[in-house]
Amino acid sequence: GQQLNQSPQSMFIQEGEDVSMNCTSSSIFNTWLWYKQEPGEGPVLLIALYKAGELTSNGRLTAQFGITRKDSFLNISASIPSDVGIYFCAGSSADAGGTSYGKLTFGQGTILTVHP
Amino acid sequence: NAGVMQNPRHLVRRRGQEARLRCSPMKGHSHVYWYRQLPEEGLKFMVYLQKENIIDESGMPKERFSAEFPKEGPSILRIQQVVRGDSAAYFCASSSNSNTEAFFGQGTRLTVV
C-alpha cells in the first residue's frame, strides 16, 4: 500500500528558531495536508495543498506541494512554545473519480519540542 | 457548532469482551471515517461510511471489527473479542461530502487488559 516517510522523527529547538520538516512518498498523491496533534487530542488541520508546486501559508506556517506530487514540506518560522506537538503529513488520492478527501495516508509524525 | 464528538474518551476492556466506540459527526456532515493510531505511529485508515452505507472498508481487519452509520444516531465501531493488540486510539472524522476535508474528533483510547 501507499506509505509516507516523514522526517525528522523529532526536533528539539529553541524558541524563535525556524523549523522545517518534510514528507516523501513512493506514489503520487493529489492532495497533501499537514496536521498538528497535541497530547490526548485529535489531529487538527493546519494547511491543505491541492496543486503540484503550490506554496501556501497560514500565519507562521508555510507548506509546499512538490512538483512530482510525491513530496511536501512544512516550515514553521519563529517558533513559540505553543508550537509543541506532533506534526503529521497526510496524502489523499481524492480525485474526480470519487476517492474521498477524507481517506488519508498519514506519515509517522515529527515530534516538535520548543525550549523557551 | 459542535465538532466531531466521540465517546467514550477512554475505554478499558478485558480480553474477550466487546468494545463499542461511538462517533457523532459535525452537524450537517453525512460522511464518516474511522482511523486507528497505535502508540508513536501515524493514523491508519480503517473505514469510510456514508449514511447507512459502507463506502470503503479496505483498512478494516477481516475479523472481529465492524462499523455502521445508521440513518439515525451516531456511527459505531464495534470490536468483538478484543485482544491486547487492539489497544490504541481510535479517531473518527467527518465531512459534508467526499470533496471536502474531514475534521477529526478527540478520539477514544481503548485499553485491553
Side-chain angles (χ1 to χ4, degrees):
Chain A
Q2 295 172 317
Q3 284 189 323
L4 294 184
N5 294 311
Q6 188 171 346
S7 64
Q9 281 190 312
S10 61
M11 303 182 74
F12 298 85
I13 62 170
Q14 292 292 130
E15 183 177 1
E17 289 184 1
D18 296 345
V19 172
S20 185
M21 57 192 80
N22 67 79
C23 236
T24 59
S25 170
S26 58
S27 50
I28 288 172
F29 286 103
N30 294 325
T31 303
W32 282 88
L33 306 102
W34 286 91
Y35 288 86
K36 179 186 179 186
Q37 185 179 28
E38 298 185 13
E41 301 293 329
V44 174
L45 181 64
L46 300 173
I47 291 182
L49 303 153
Y50 302 103
K51 294 181 183 178
E54 180 181 358
L55 184 71
T56 298
S57 293
N58 178 8
R60 294 178 297 106
L61 278 58
T62 301
Q64 182 155 30
F65 189 154
I67 288 290
T68 64
R69 293 197 285 161
K70 292 184 177 181
D71 63 300
S72 176
F73 71 75
L74 175 71
N75 287 340
I76 306 173
S77 62
S79 59
I80 59 177
S82 61
D83 289 334
V84 164
I86 306 177
Y87 291 79
F88 290 100
C89 62
S92 168
S93 299
D95 57 23
T99 304
S100 171
Y101 278 108
K103 182 182 179 183
L104 302 170
T105 300
F106 279 81
Q108 308 97 315
T110 295
I111 302 171
L112 179 63
T113 304
V114 180
H115 293 289
Chain B
N1 184 19
V4 178
M5 303 300 291
Q6 290 187 248
N7 67 82
R9 292 292 306 277
H10 300 274
L11 182 61
V12 179
R13 284 287 178 265
R14 295 186 184 278
R15 280 180 295 171
Q17 290 185 320
E18 178 180 283
R20 288 168 67 89
L21 288 63
R22 285 176 287 278
C23 169
S24 295
M26 287 178 68
K27 187 177 181 180
H29 286 190
S30 60
H31 296 243
V32 164
Y33 313 83
W34 285 94
Y35 285 80
R36 176 165 62 178
Q37 184 178 33
L38 295 171
E40 300 183 8
E41 291 189 10
L43 285 73
K44 297 280 196 298
F45 170 79
M46 299 180 75
V47 62
Y48 164 31
L49 309 103
Q50 192 181 355
K51 281 289 186 181
E52 301 185 274
N53 292 307
I54 296 176
I55 306 300
D56 183 338
E57 56 181 349
S58 56
M60 284 282 268
K62 294 284 187 287
E63 298 177 346
R64 303 187 297 108
F65 285 71
S66 62
E68 62 177 11
F69 189 16
K71 187 176 180 181
E72 301 291 337
S75 175
I76 306 285
L77 178 68
R78 180 186 300 165
I79 311 172
Q80 296 178 299
Q81 300 174 346
V82 295
V83 300
R84 288 232 171 96
D86 296 332
S87 296
Y90 291 83
F91 290 95
C92 166
S94 75
S95 65
S96 55
N97 58 58
S98 64
N99 295 325
T100 57
E101 295 82 13
F103 294 86
F104 284 84
Q106 294 177 300
T108 293
R109 273 104 188 132
L110 172 65
T111 302
V112 179
V113 297

